[in-house]
């Protein structure tokens, strides 16, 4: 598109902008190509973990892969180490089931991970489980009508200010 800015288009018709930093002739208007590799890895392995846990009929709400990586100091500056930390959010998730899903993705299903490992990249994985709660909140509106809202909460403390600002009463907590 311009200088070192490129638009990548997939066979499925989706586009993404890639660009370099200003010190490399870019304008910082998109992902760096090497960042795209990590994003692809994160998406691929998360897709697997969610699919495996869903097939087990577990109540999974989210799976985020936080990726850290190290690169070689010499050119080509390839990835040498990658660590994937999964934050799996759900209700009553079993640690053994999440561990198995992460292991299956890493060792059997994630094409991106397996390809990078075969290229000499050391990839490690771990995970944490975030338990969720459902809260049903009720607010008295004009003309004495009740409005009910249901929220998925990861941390109940995050919503204390919200409850106070909007005059909600906590009526029921579903565990």
């Amino acid at each position: 598109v311009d200088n070192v800015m490129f638009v990548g288009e997939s066979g499925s018709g989706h586009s993404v902008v890639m660009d370099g930093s200003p010190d490399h002739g870019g304008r910082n208007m998109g992902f760096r190509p090497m960042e795209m590799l990590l994003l692809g890895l994160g998406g691929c392995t998360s897709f697997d973990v969610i699919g495996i846990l869903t097939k087990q009929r577990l109540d999974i709400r989210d799976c985020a892969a936080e990726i850290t990586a190290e690169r070689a100091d010499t050119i080509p500056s390839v990835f040498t180490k990658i660590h994937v930390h999964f934050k799996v959010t759900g209700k009553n998730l079993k640690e053994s089931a999440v561990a198995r899903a992460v292991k299956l993705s890493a060792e059997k299903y994630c094409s991106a991970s397996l390809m990078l490992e075969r290229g000499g990249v050391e990839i490690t994985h771990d995970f944490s489980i975030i338990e969720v709660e459902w809260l049903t909140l009720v607010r008295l509106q004009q003309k004495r009508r009740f409005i009910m809202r249901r929220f998925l909460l990861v941390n109940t403390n995050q919503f204390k200010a919200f409850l106070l600002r909007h005059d909600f009463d906590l009526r029921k907590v579903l565990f």
Side-chain angles (χ1 to χ4, degrees), residues 64-152:
E66 295 179 349
I67 299 177
T68 55
E70 294 178 20
R71 294 176 69 176
D73 293 330
T74 58
I75 295 179
S77 185
V78 299
F79 290 115
T80 56
K81 294 181 182 179
I82 298 174
H83 180 73
V84 182
H85 176 74
F86 294 94
K87 288 186 175 181
V88 183
T89 304
K91 187 131 180 92
N92 298 321
L93 295 176
K94 299 173 188 169
E95 187 171 332
S96 61
V98 176
R100 181 178 175 271
V102 169
K103 183 176 178 163
L104 282 171
S105 175
E107 295 177 359
K108 186 174 181 180
Y109 294 114
C110 181
S111 302
S113 181
L114 293 167
M115 178 183 64
L116 288 167
E117 280 187 322
R118 288 181 186 163
V121 180
E122 178 188 326
I123 301 178
T124 57
H125 305 79
D126 67 3
F127 65 90
S128 57
I129 297 174
I130 302 169
E131 185 70 17
V132 296
E133 305 169 35
W134 282 101
L135 291 183
T136 301
L137 304 174
V138 179
R139 180 170 61 177
L140 181 62
Q141 293 287 347
Q142 294 175 349
K143 299 182 183 178
R144 298 210 173 264
R145 287 184 293 160
F146 286 93
I147 304 293
M148 292 185 69
R149 296 204 173 130
R150 201 166 180 206
F151 294 92
L152 173 67

Side-chain angles (χ1 to χ4, degrees), residues 23-41:
D23 58 324
H24 286 94
R27 295 186 300 158
N28 201 28
M29 301 290 287
F31 295 106
R32 308 291 188 270
M34 292 296 280
E35 291 173 335
M36 293 293 298
L37 284 172
L38 296 177
L39 290 172
L41 168 64

Side-chain angles (χ1 to χ4, degrees), residues 38-57:
L38 296 177
L39 290 172
L41 168 64
C44 185
T45 193
S46 294
F47 187 90
D48 294 334
V49 169
I50 289 171
I52 293 164
L53 293 174
T54 301
K55 286 179 185 172
Q56 295 176 25
R57 294 194 169 116

